[in-house]
């Protein structure tokens, strides 16, 4: 349906802007994340069937998925006084939860942390091995370096959205 396609094009565009802005400025602007969340929330009430786009009442688990994913981010932000994680990342996972549901959202967050850890370790190893020649004017990458997290959240979202690789469901088998 053109309605859903248009909504997902806007969602994708917003995610690109959020990704680029977070990489450049290590902050997620509220207007972008709030628009993303509003569209994600509205999509909870839309279903595509053989007869076209229909209004549906979402399951309670779908509605609470966003706030449920937000809470740990809020707790980390509150406990660390914003030093460990920005609140913008928490706001972003609200929409991710609404778009992917509870297990898909948790999977996207897990992917984000795993990929973020791998990339961070890789960057530290490259620097330690001396393969990155940083100029004096640029700061060195350390354990205390500020790394934008939204790109990893978005990659986690894309993995679950496009490939359906839901680690939570896979782990439930065991």
């Amino acid at each position: 349906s053109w309605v859903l396609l248009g909504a997902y094009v806007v969602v994708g565009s917003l995610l690109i802007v959020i990704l680029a802005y977070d990489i450049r400025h290590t902050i997620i602007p509220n207007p972008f994340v709030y628009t993303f969340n509003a569209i994600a929330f509205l999509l909870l009430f839309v279903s595509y069937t053989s007869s076209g786009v229909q209004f549906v009442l979402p399951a309670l688990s779908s509605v609470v998925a966003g706030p449920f994913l937000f809470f740990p981010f809020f707790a980390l932000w509150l406990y660390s006084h914003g030093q460990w994680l920005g609140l913008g990342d928490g706001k972003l996972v609200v929409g991710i939860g609404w778009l992917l549901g509870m297990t898909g959202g948790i999977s996207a967050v897990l992917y984000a942390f795993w990929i973020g850890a791998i990339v961070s370790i890789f960057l530290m190893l490259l620097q330690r091995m001396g393969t990155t020649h940083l100029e004096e004017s640029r700061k060195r990458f350390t354990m205390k370096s500020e790394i934008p997290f939204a790109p990893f959240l978005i990659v986690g979202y894309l993995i679950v959205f496009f490939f359906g690789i839901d680690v939570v469901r896979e782990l439930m088998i065991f």
Side-chain angles (χ1 to χ4, degrees):
S1 160
W2 290 105
V3 174
L4 283 179
L5 179 61
Y8 280 107
V9 165
V10 172
V11 163
S13 300
L14 286 166
L15 290 176
I16 290 169
V17 170
I18 289 169
L19 182 141
Y21 202 93
D22 196 36
I23 287 173
R24 177 85 172 137
H25 302 286
T26 62
I27 192 168
I28 302 171
N30 283 335
F32 297 125
V33 76
Y34 291 155
T35 303
F36 169 73
N37 287 345
I39 294 169
F41 185 75
L42 290 174
L43 285 171
L44 285 173
F45 296 89
V46 176
S47 177
Y48 182 74
T49 63
S50 58
S51 58
V53 176
Q54 293 181 341
F55 174 81
V56 295
L57 284 176
L60 181 61
S61 64
S62 297
V63 175
V64 300
F68 178 83
L69 288 175
F70 173 77
F71 181 74
F73 282 79
F74 177 74
L76 285 171
W77 173 81
L78 188 65
Y79 182 77
S80 72
H81 303 286
Q83 296 298 309
W84 297 345
L85 203 61
L87 196 55
D89 299 314
K91 294 173 193 173
L92 181 61
V93 298
V94 172
I96 290 173
W98 283 334
L99 289 172
L100 298 177
M102 190 69 77
T103 61
I106 292 170
S107 292
V109 171
L110 286 173
Y111 283 127
F113 277 104
W114 294 340
I115 295 167
I118 291 167
V119 168
S120 298
I121 290 168
F122 180 72
L123 288 173
M124 286 190 297
L125 287 174
L126 276 178
Q127 186 169 300
R128 184 173 279 241
M129 293 181 343
T131 56
T132 59
H133 299 288
L134 299 176
E135 299 132 19
E136 293 296 321
S137 63
R138 297 184 71 183
K139 64 181 182 180
R140 292 180 52 83
F141 183 78
T142 67
M143 286 291 285
K144 295 188 179 205
S145 295
E146 188 174 346
I147 300 170
F149 192 57
F152 301 117
L153 286 170
I154 292 168
V155 168
Y157 164 77
L158 293 172
I159 290 170
V160 176
F161 183 80
F162 283 115
F163 302 109
I165 306 171
D166 187 341
V167 282
V168 174
R169 286 201 178 110
E170 298 299 325
L171 292 175
M172 286 181 175
I173 293 171
F174 299 105

